[in-house]
Amino acid sequence: MKLYDDPMSGNGYKARLLLAHLSLPYQYIPIDILRGESKTKEFLQKNLNGRIPVLELDDGKHLPESNAILYFLSQGAAYWPADIFAQAQVMQWLFFEQYSHEPNIATPRFWLKTKILEDTSFNRELLAQKQRAGNQALAVMNEHLASRTFFVGERYTIADIALYAYTHVAGEGGFDLSQYPAVVAWLQRVREQSRHVTINQWVAA
Ligand SMILES: N[C@@H](CCC(=O)N[C@@H](CS)C(=O)NCC(=O)O)C(=O)O
């Protein structure tokens, strides 16, 4: 297997983290999105949408979209529950992550890390809007986790992996996680899972 990914990407980190939990060897192919490497003709054959991460299977098939990669890799493993309602609840949080969480937490992180805000024409009100929506998502997570150890069924699943990826680096997007104590405690439980890797590590083939 190969993973096309940019090392700073939280979406790519979701795949890296699950691959590490599963002890699956893979080849890591760095793609520099800031240099347009995800928009080349060659890359667009792997993902027409021009984005990382993309998982390449040994038979040459390509799978883009981080949460689809999590679903695919977790089949038959403990990170995907057996119960159908619990499966639907995992999906519930994967969709929450993509609609309410990632666009509002990953984007401010990207803007601040790449210093794009130093461009005076950039609308800082847009940053404030994203941060307000991101804080709403963190508040939802905090309330849900106040009486639970993990997002679904009291077990660590791909819902936790998907939500951990950008939550644990939310500070880089200007978010104050100390306002969300249940989230902070959950982040620590995620870090304690076996074969955890940080966002800066990956297991090469
Ligand atoms: N919904 C996609 C989002 C993928 C995505 O936005 N990837 C970013 C990096 S985190 C990217 O490739 N950006 C390059 C671009 O938009 O040109 C997923 O979850 O994988």
Side-chain angles (χ1 to χ4, degrees), residues 9-11 14 33 38-39 50-53 64-67 98 102 166:
S9 168
N11 285 315
K14 295 173 195 172
I33 57 173
S38 64
K39 308 292 185 206
R51 289 186 166 83
I52 54 88
E65 290 294 332
S66 57
N67 290 352
Q98 286 285 290
E102 193 261 13
Y166 282 108

Side-chain angles (χ1 to χ4, degrees), residues 48-159:
L48 270 177
N49 200 24
R51 289 186 166 83
I52 54 88
V54 176
L55 187 70
E56 182 176 296
L57 306 187
D58 292 341
D59 64 7
K61 286 202 287 269
H62 292 107
L63 185 61
E65 290 294 332
S66 57
N67 290 352
I69 295 171
L70 290 181
Y71 171 79
F72 175 76
L73 292 173
S74 66
Q75 296 308 296
Y79 309 103
W80 177 251
D83 175 75
I84 291 178
F85 190 71
Q87 291 175 1
Q89 289 178 309
V90 170
M91 300 295 284
Q92 171 201 336
W93 288 107
L94 297 185
F95 287 115
F96 167 85
E97 190 268 343
Q98 286 285 290
Y99 189 80
S100 301
H101 181 278
E102 193 261 13
N104 300 312
I105 294 179
T107 308
R109 172 180 179 256
F110 181 75
W111 287 340
L112 293 172
K113 264 182 101 70
T114 57
K115 303 197 190 326
I116 205 169
L117 294 179
E118 286 174 9
D119 177 352
T120 49
S121 66
F122 193 88
N123 185 350
R124 291 195 76 91
E125 177 50 28
L126 199 55
L127 173 68
Q129 273 173 27
K130 288 275 181 194
Q131 287 172 332
R132 275 193 295 276
N135 275 305
Q136 278 168 15
L138 291 167
V140 167
M141 291 168 66
N142 197 59
E143 189 160 346
H144 184 74
L145 289 168
S147 55
R148 293 172 181 85
T149 49
F150 293 107
F151 274 88
V152 177
E154 296 300 274
R155 305 255 322 244
Y156 178 66
T157 69
I158 59 170

Side-chain angles (χ1 to χ4, degrees), residues 1 21 28 40 52 132 141 151 167 178 191-192:
M1 264 186 310
H21 284 315
Y28 189 81
T40 63
I52 54 88
R132 275 193 295 276
M141 291 168 66
F151 274 88
T167 303
S178 69
R191 278 192 286 270
E192 287 165 2

